């Protein structure tokens, strides 16, 4: 039995979807970051970084990054329907796109929504946000091009955890992602309609 600390509407949902898609038993515990619960002494004892998600397994092993959780589960339980094994050539494609989403695509989303963290003056907020939005559009376009040429999923016809990550980003990025990206929308739609993912997305 796993314990997952997360909150709806955040990237932590990707970890929850991976657990569900894998058919693994887990207890879900909400950490309301909007109320500062991630800074409580109780939660910091679990994850000193003060971020969600956090996953704890039966042995007390704790993993605190979304893509680390997704890959850990896929490798530990040999979930080839979610991630190619390390000897599979498609593993490189999965790792490449998964890290790109986490490191490059997600970064300007955070900068746009939390512009006050990056601006020294109030008057600079809109400029910070505009530059972040522009960076997101350019990086999102690269995902669109890949999916339009190699899709419908990141690994062609093969669904994987990177498609879950895309769905979550596409969902919570809201005003940044739009219908100008039909291949992304198609990948997201197919992922969202999966029987074990749809109830979480709702």
């Amino acid at each position: 039995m796993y314990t997952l600390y997360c909150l709806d509407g955040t990237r932590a949902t990707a970890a929850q979807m991976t657990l569900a898609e894998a058919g693994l038993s887990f207890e879900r515990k909400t950490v309301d970051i909007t109320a500062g619960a991630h800074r409580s002494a109780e939660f910091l004892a679990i994850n000193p970084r003060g971020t969600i998600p956090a996953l704890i397994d039966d042995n007390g092993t704790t993993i605190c990054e979304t893509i680390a959780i997704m890959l850990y589960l896929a490798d530990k339980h040999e979930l080839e329907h979610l991630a190619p094994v390390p000897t599979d050539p498609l593993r490189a494609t999965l790792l490449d796109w998964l890290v790109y989403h986490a490191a490059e695509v997600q970064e300007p989303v955070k900068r746009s929504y939390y512009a006050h963290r990056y601006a020294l003056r109030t008057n600079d907020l809109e400029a910070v946000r505009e530059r972040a939005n522009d960076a997101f559009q350019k990086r999102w376009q690269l995902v669109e091009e890949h999916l339009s040429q190699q899709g419908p999923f990141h690994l062609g016809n093969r669904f994987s955890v990177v498609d879950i990550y895309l769905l979550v980003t596409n969902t919570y990025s809201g005003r940044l992602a739009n219908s100008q990206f039909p291949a992304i929308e198609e990948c997201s739609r197919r992922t969202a309609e999966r029987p074990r993912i749809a109830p979480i997305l709702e």
Side-chain angles (χ1 to χ4, degrees):
M1 171 73 77
Y2 289 98
T3 301
L4 178 69
Y5 295 84
C6 62
L7 179 69
D8 289 341
T10 69
R11 61 192 171 90
T13 307
Q16 181 179 347
M17 289 178 174
T18 302
L19 283 160
E21 187 70 19
L24 298 169
S25 298
F26 66 97
E27 178 185 3
R28 183 183 182 280
K29 293 191 176 182
T30 297
V31 179
D32 188 355
I33 59 176
T34 64
H38 58 306
R39 299 190 187 95
S40 68
E42 179 183 4
F43 184 70
L44 289 174
I46 296 167
N47 180 11
R49 301 171 194 169
T51 58
I52 55 172
L55 181 77
I56 303 177
D57 67 14
D58 287 338
N59 297 320
T61 300
T62 303
I63 311 100
C64 301
E65 295 296 329
T66 303
I67 63 170
I69 291 172
M70 298 169 88
L71 291 173
Y72 170 76
L73 293 171
D75 290 348
K76 179 179 179 181
H77 298 281
E78 299 180 343
L79 306 173
E80 290 190 51
H81 66 293
L82 292 181
V85 297
T87 55
D88 188 325
L90 281 176
R91 177 74 170 205
T93 305
L94 177 133
L95 292 175
D96 183 57
W97 281 105
L98 194 56
V99 173
Y100 179 75
H101 277 287
E104 297 295 327
V105 176
Q106 181 181 307
E107 184 276 327
V109 175
K110 183 179 293 185
R111 191 155 31 101
S112 177
Y113 276 85
Y114 302 100
H116 61 282
R117 298 179 182 175
Y118 301 88
L120 295 176
R121 296 174 295 272
T122 303
N123 291 342
D124 294 335
L125 286 175
E126 195 53 39
V128 169
R129 188 171 289 113
E130 287 180 6
R131 292 197 67 176
N133 293 351
D134 182 62
F136 174 82
Q137 295 292 323
K138 290 177 179 177
R139 296 170 190 180
W140 208 227
Q141 182 61 39
L142 291 176
V143 179
E144 172 69 19
E145 291 171 4
H146 171 71
L147 290 173
S148 65
Q149 296 167 12
Q150 307 291 332
F153 298 112
H154 285 79
L155 305 184
N157 291 318
R158 184 172 176 177
F159 171 77
S160 69
V161 291
V162 69
D163 303 307
I164 294 176
Y165 204 98
L166 171 75
L167 171 64
V168 172
T169 299
N170 195 32
T171 301
Y172 76 55
S173 60
R175 57 184 169 76
L176 297 180
N178 54 56
S179 58
Q180 296 177 16
F181 304 97
I184 288 175
E185 291 302 318
E186 177 63 14
C187 181
S188 294
R189 181 190 65 79
R190 289 174 180 241
T191 304
E193 290 178 351
R194 295 179 70 86
R196 292 179 177 176
I197 287 178
I200 299 172
L201 192 61
E202 291 175 358

